[in-house]
Amino acid sequence: MTTPRDPSSALAELRAALDAATAGFLAERRGAMEQMAPGSTPLLDLVEGAGAAGGKRLRPVLCWCAYRACGGRGAESAILRAAGSLELLHTFAILHDDVMDQATLRRGHPALHRRLASERRAAGHERDADAYGVSIAVLAGDLALVLSDAMLARSGFSPEALARASGPLALMRLQAVTGQYLDLAQSSGRPVPASDAVRIERLKTAGYSVAGPVAFGAALAGGDPSIPAALDRWAVAVGEAFFLADELIGLYGDPAATGKDVESDLRRGKPTVLVARALETASAADREAIAGRWGNPHASAADLAAVRAAVSASGAEAAVRAEISRLLDGAWDVLVEAELLDPTAWDILRQLAESLRPGA
């Protein structure tokens, strides 16, 4: 009798395999870049460093799971490379996002544009240090996007499979860009309806981070359409839970534990479901506490603590935690009903979803 594999071990092994596939591809491209443009490989080093510095590999893991759950087989190297291309896509997104959000931290380290500016300043170039940091970080993000496309094209999948997957990939990229635009356009410190905040997060977080990678992996596999349909229902529920959990981290998370800058979103007045619901249900005093401090770039630590306390007092925090549990319960029901073709994928999908549950 075969002993079932520990899902956490399977997930760790999958992440390691994805990292190895990406590292192998980048090693191939390094020689080509050096030959084409001698001296340009430090830019590749920045891309590689940004991807290697932590991260859960959520998008490539979901892609791999969906592919296997839908019966995808064949050379493992092909799906590892195709899935790994999503991590390079994500590297592009986070490098650009950190510039747009004026973030200070990413995965426990200074955001790349901040680090590059500090290094430029230390080298005696005070005048253009900030512009230099932003410019090189944007270029590194551009290179990550180019490499993402190249890694997928060289994955080993047939032209037919790549054509099937091109639609979901284009959609998730479009969702990320439009969601980020709406996020920035409405980050004015003025309240937005909860429905608007949900729409933004569904685009830039749920669609891009969960539903898109699942649809991409399922499309690469092809086969029986009933399984992708079930996975899509799972992804919709988990995607909603994911962005709500991310909002809780963004408001209440400890930077030492999360590696994220938890103050920049508050200071720029990022539209979130948490704040929108708090403003709808809070007392007059708590609404004033939120409105007077949220979106203030000069807010003190005490001001931000007052915002957090007011959101909790409004009941919005507890309501969001309850909603996450409800969504995850629904996602579990979908997995139980779906006849997934790979037990390892089933276990990993369950583990990823449960990691979002409050208190997990």
Side-chain angles (χ1 to χ4, degrees):
M1 181 176 179
T2 302
T3 303
R5 295 181 66 192
D6 178 3
S8 60
S9 298
L11 179 55
E13 290 171 9
L14 174 56
R15 285 171 173 156
L18 288 163
D19 285 348
T22 303
F25 171 76
L26 294 179
E28 294 171 9
R29 303 315 300 160
R30 182 177 298 279
M33 280 186 63
E34 184 59 33
Q35 183 176 6
M36 176 191 68
S40 65
T41 54
L43 189 63
L44 181 58
D45 293 338
L46 296 178
V47 172
E48 194 164 19
K56 298 178 180 178
R57 309 296 184 262
L58 173 66
R59 294 150 196 85
V61 166
L62 287 173
C63 172
W64 183 93
C65 286
Y67 175 79
R68 295 299 296 268
C70 292
R73 293 295 182 267
E76 181 72 357
S77 61
I79 186 56
L80 289 174
R81 281 204 169 195
S85 74
L86 296 186
E87 191 63 24
L88 286 171
L89 174 65
H90 189 53
T91 298
F92 147 75
I94 63 176
L95 290 177
H96 283 203
D97 282 2
D98 284 350
V99 169
M100 289 182 278
D101 295 346
Q102 303 176 53
T104 59
L105 286 176
R106 170 64 67 174
R107 294 173 174 171
H109 302 282
L112 181 60
H113 67 286
R114 303 270 186 179
R115 176 169 68 82
L116 292 171
S118 296
E119 292 172 356
R120 183 77 166 176
R121 195 170 285 113
H125 303 284
E126 172 67 37
R127 183 179 60 83
D128 70 341
D130 290 334
Y132 174 86
V134 166
S135 298
I136 300 300
V138 168
L139 280 174
D142 292 343
L143 178 59
L145 180 59
V146 170
L147 291 170
S148 173
D149 287 344
M151 189 172 181
L152 176 59
R154 292 168 172 79
S155 62
F157 274 104
S158 68
E160 293 77 15
L162 293 176
R164 283 196 308 269
S166 64
L169 179 61
L171 178 60
M172 67 178 283
R173 289 164 63 154
L174 183 61
Q175 287 174 325
V177 171
T178 54
Q180 179 70 358
Y181 168 74
L182 293 173
D183 184 3
L184 291 170
Q186 298 195 35
S187 293
S188 61
R190 292 192 298 270
V192 300
S195 58
D196 286 358
V198 168
R199 180 163 57 96
I200 291 170
E201 291 291 7
R202 282 176 175 165
L203 287 168
K204 69 170 292 186
T205 304
Y208 163 69
S209 297
V210 182
V214 166
F216 178 64
L220 286 172
D224 182 355
S226 66
I227 296 177
L231 285 175
D232 182 65
R233 294 196 303 275
W234 178 90
V236 167
V238 173
E240 297 260 340
F242 180 75
F243 81 68
L244 291 172
D246 197 51
E247 286 194 358
L248 287 172
I249 292 172
L251 190 61
Y252 298 105
D254 177 4
T258 66
K260 294 183 178 182
D261 177 1
V262 297
E263 295 188 351
S264 63
D265 288 349
L266 285 172
R267 294 184 191 279
R268 70 182 179 88
K270 174 184 176 179
T272 66
V273 177
L274 263 175
V275 171
R277 290 182 178 175
L279 288 170
E280 291 172 355
T281 59
S283 66
D286 283 337
R287 281 199 301 273
E288 183 178 347
I290 296 170
R293 296 169 174 84
W294 174 69
N296 177 4
H298 306 295
S300 66
D303 289 333
L304 299 181
V307 172
R308 295 184 183 100
V311 171
S312 294
S314 73
E317 178 191 0
V320 163
R321 291 182 182 276
E323 186 170 352
I324 291 172
S325 291
R326 180 186 62 78
L327 288 164
L328 295 178
D329 289 344
W332 166 253
D333 291 341
V334 170
L335 278 189
V336 169
E337 294 171 6
E339 295 183 3
L340 304 187
L341 301 182
D342 186 281
T344 299
W346 194 94
D347 284 338
I348 291 176
L349 290 175
R350 180 181 61 176
Q351 181 184 351
L352 289 175
E354 284 303 305
S355 70
L356 301 174
R357 195 178 293 275

